[in-house]
Amino acid sequence: MFRKNIKHQQPALISAASELPEKQRKRLENSWAGTFYQEFFCRMDEQAFAVLYSEKASRPNVPVNVLVGLEALKSGFGWSDEELYENYCYNLQVRYALGYDRLGDGDFEIRTLYYFRERLSRYNAEKGINLLEQAFEHITDAQITSLKVRTGMQRMDSTQIASNIVFASRLQLLVEGLQRAERILSEADKARLADIFAPYTRDSAGHYTYRVKGKEAVQEHLQRIGQTLHTLLQELKHTYGAETAYQVLERLFAENFKLVESSACPKENSEITSGCLQSVDDFEATYRTKGKAHYKGYVANLAETCDPANEVQLITKVQVASNNVDDSQLLAEALPNLKARTDLETMVTDGGYGGEVSDTALHTEQVSLIQTAIRGRSPNADKLHLSDFSIKSNPDGKPSKVTCPQGQTVPIQTSAHQKAFVAHFDNALCQTCPLADRCPAKPGKRDARHHLRFTQTEARAAERRRHSQAHAQQSHNLRSAVEASVRSLKHPFPAGKLPVRGHFRVTCMIISSAAVTNVRRIQRFLAAKSRAQSDTISEQDQPQAPQNSFFATIWLSLADWLSPKQTLVPTVGC
């Protein structure tokens, strides 16, 4: 049965926190624990989690804001579950952050936290709703309103993250799949198929792979395993077709082999897609090569405010997807949510976020994109590019007018095949133009006018390039600071590898880490503001020097003599 937690609103008269000396108590209140309590714990809407509990009269739940707070602290500090539970039991700062003044209050077993995660995962699988993500957005929106953070300008960046899986080769992965399938068999089936499984179950998959040396040997073993898989899939389908281990074998066979005249042949590496299975423990992790580095896992994408007028910048959106998802797709998916929650007008990104998908979403949501770089080859500096032309669009997003670098403006028409656009420039003006030999607009064979042809995609790409060039001329780069936010997000996880598996759990941990990052930023901002106020008060309390020059000299000498920095040195022999 669900019940809201309101006990923390009435602090105990006698508690571990209240018994601290005043100096230590104030230090506790002004630490991250006090900020976490005020800015995260108290802002949480517990009622949204009521759907996870029974409506029948029964034993009440452990407070939801405590469980969600523990999930945030686990990610924010990089604790294991055992370290998390120990800190909850004995760390006064952690207990203060979760609304407990006394050690021993709110006791529960750690398995309660496991059950809570299971309920969150099951609800997400059934409804497609991540309640932790909703809680993060609700809390962040309240923080933005309270701190008056401007959200019209935001920046975005992505980073590679890995779940807790082994970086296994194709051969090792196939052997591991066979071993998992053998474990689900009945004793009778194990005895019947013992000869088939014997070569792959004598040792671990890693040891099996270690003994195979050379490319030709690997291909030979792949061929043999492919034939074994083909046989087992036919043999076990009727009895074990609904088992996860059998379905993994089916996926491994489909992604790594092809049937040629009823014989299983290994696919070439170039034929295997990035979405193929990377681990028998994580079905959603994918493969990606970025530069010279290879990644298996997921991509985390974050958006944060970046208005220079803000005294504190907050992370507003966190996404996690398979790492073969393009950045432009992540931007397109994030825009409707950001536009509905914030006053987003301008998004600042790197070159990876431009594309046809994101262009459509940006036009729909009326958001301008500023990129610090553009994908693809740079235009020839000796010739004009489409981005040198100013293209105006109608409310439907279709190009309507174009202005050349020399100021000639003409309407844009749809081409004869309705697949592109064309602009006709005055031939007399173009012939006398000093840029004629560099201009992409050329005269036609039948029509003497100069014609400029382009597609919708090219027009939007040109507009993004214009924004990028204008931004590059500014004295500062608004996007660069997001790299520090990415580092803050991944810092609790060594080498960017999370201690969990699966898309949902990885998402929950990254969102929780972002929540703690925001709390730390707010805490630093409040601490700096408090110091500034203290300095101002101290300056106002200082006595003013007399206006008369004679008395002012005496006053300054006296003030210097009475300064606390003055050190008295005893005279030797006194």
Side-chain angles (χ1 to χ4, degrees), residues 64 83 128 287 349 460:
V64 168
E83 291 172 329
Y287 181 87
T349 69
R460 288 175 173 172

Side-chain angles (χ1 to χ4, degrees), residues 195-372:
D195 292 340
I196 296 178
F197 281 102
Y200 313 108
T201 56
R202 292 170 185 166
D203 210 339
S204 67
H207 281 87
Y208 180 97
T209 308
Y210 179 76
R211 291 191 293 268
V212 180
K213 306 294 184 180
K215 185 176 180 180
E216 293 182 359
V218 170
Q219 286 298 116
E220 181 182 344
H221 281 264
L222 286 175
Q223 177 72 42
R224 194 182 308 162
I225 290 175
Q227 199 58 46
T228 301
L229 285 176
H230 184 54
T231 302
L232 288 174
L233 289 174
Q234 294 176 333
E235 188 74 24
L236 304 176
K237 184 173 183 178
H238 178 71
T239 308
Y240 302 97
E243 297 287 343
T244 301
Y246 178 87
Q247 294 170 1
V248 168
L249 282 188
E250 278 189 319
R251 181 175 172 182
L252 285 171
F253 183 81
E255 292 174 346
N256 290 275
F257 301 93
K258 54 187 176 183
L259 287 175
V260 179
E261 297 179 356
S262 301
S263 178
C265 297
K267 292 181 180 180
E268 296 294 333
N269 290 339
S270 59
E271 298 181 84
I272 298 178
T273 64
S274 62
C276 66
L277 188 68
Q278 302 298 314
S279 170
V280 293
D281 296 308
D282 192 338
F283 305 147
E284 297 155 306
T286 52
Y287 181 87
R288 181 172 181 176
T289 299
K290 191 174 183 180
K292 296 182 179 180
H294 306 284
Y295 302 93
K296 289 186 178 183
Y298 300 88
V299 60
N301 189 65
L302 67 90
E304 67 174 0
T305 59
C306 66
D307 194 311
N310 287 335
E311 296 179 294
V312 59
Q313 309 292 359
L314 297 180
I315 298 174
T316 56
K317 180 70 177 177
V318 179
Q319 300 164 272
V320 175
S322 300
N323 68 1
N324 58 358
V325 176
D326 192 70
D327 287 347
S328 62
Q329 179 66 37
L330 295 172
L331 173 59
E333 293 175 358
L335 281 176
N337 176 271
L338 286 172
K339 191 68 175 179
R341 292 172 43 228
T342 66
D343 301 322
L344 178 64
E345 296 177 351
T346 304
M347 181 66 74
V348 185
T349 69
D350 60 19
Y353 288 87
E356 190 172 353
V357 176
S358 59
D359 285 341
T360 303
L362 288 164
H363 174 75
T364 302
E365 302 297 337
Q366 296 298 303
V367 176
S368 62
L369 178 66
I370 297 177
Q371 294 179 272
T372 56

Side-chain angles (χ1 to χ4, degrees), residues 91-273:
N91 189 325
L92 181 58
Q93 272 191 305
V94 171
R95 298 192 65 79
Y96 187 82
L98 299 176
Y100 291 118
D101 295 307
R102 297 178 295 188
L103 297 176
D105 288 354
D107 181 52
F108 64 87
E109 292 295 327
I110 193 172
R111 64 174 176 268
T112 303
L113 190 59
Y114 302 154
Y115 294 153
F116 180 67
R117 292 171 185 167
E118 182 184 5
R119 292 182 180 188
L120 287 173
S121 178
R122 185 168 60 248
Y123 186 80
N124 179 74
E126 294 174 355
K127 306 293 184 178
I129 299 174
N130 188 334
L131 293 177
L132 279 184
E133 182 179 13
Q134 287 189 345
F136 167 77
E137 293 177 356
H138 171 79
I139 292 169
T140 303
D141 292 346
Q143 293 169 347
I144 288 172
T145 302
S146 174
L147 298 172
K148 298 179 181 179
V149 178
R150 297 173 177 84
T151 59
M153 181 177 291
Q154 300 185 37
R155 55 192 170 211
M156 183 175 284
D157 198 17
S158 63
T159 183
Q160 297 293 317
I161 52 176
S163 60
N164 192 21
I165 60 175
V166 176
F167 206 100
S169 64
R170 285 177 65 186
L171 186 60
Q172 182 177 345
L173 190 61
L174 290 167
V175 174
E176 183 67 31
L178 284 168
Q179 292 180 351
R180 299 288 180 93
E182 192 265 346
R183 296 172 193 170
I184 68 170
L185 302 181
S186 64
E187 294 300 326
D189 287 334
K190 285 183 180 180
R192 180 169 60 87
L193 301 172
D195 292 340
I196 296 178
F197 281 102
Y200 313 108
T201 56
R202 292 170 185 166
D203 210 339
S204 67
H207 281 87
Y208 180 97
T209 308
Y210 179 76
R211 291 191 293 268
V212 180
K213 306 294 184 180
K215 185 176 180 180
E216 293 182 359
V218 170
Q219 286 298 116
E220 181 182 344
H221 281 264
L222 286 175
Q223 177 72 42
R224 194 182 308 162
I225 290 175
Q227 199 58 46
T228 301
L229 285 176
H230 184 54
T231 302
L232 288 174
L233 289 174
Q234 294 176 333
E235 188 74 24
L236 304 176
K237 184 173 183 178
H238 178 71
T239 308
Y240 302 97
E243 297 287 343
T244 301
Y246 178 87
Q247 294 170 1
V248 168
L249 282 188
E250 278 189 319
R251 181 175 172 182
L252 285 171
F253 183 81
E255 292 174 346
N256 290 275
F257 301 93
K258 54 187 176 183
L259 287 175
V260 179
E261 297 179 356
S262 301
S263 178
C265 297
K267 292 181 180 180
E268 296 294 333
N269 290 339
S270 59
E271 298 181 84
I272 298 178
T273 64

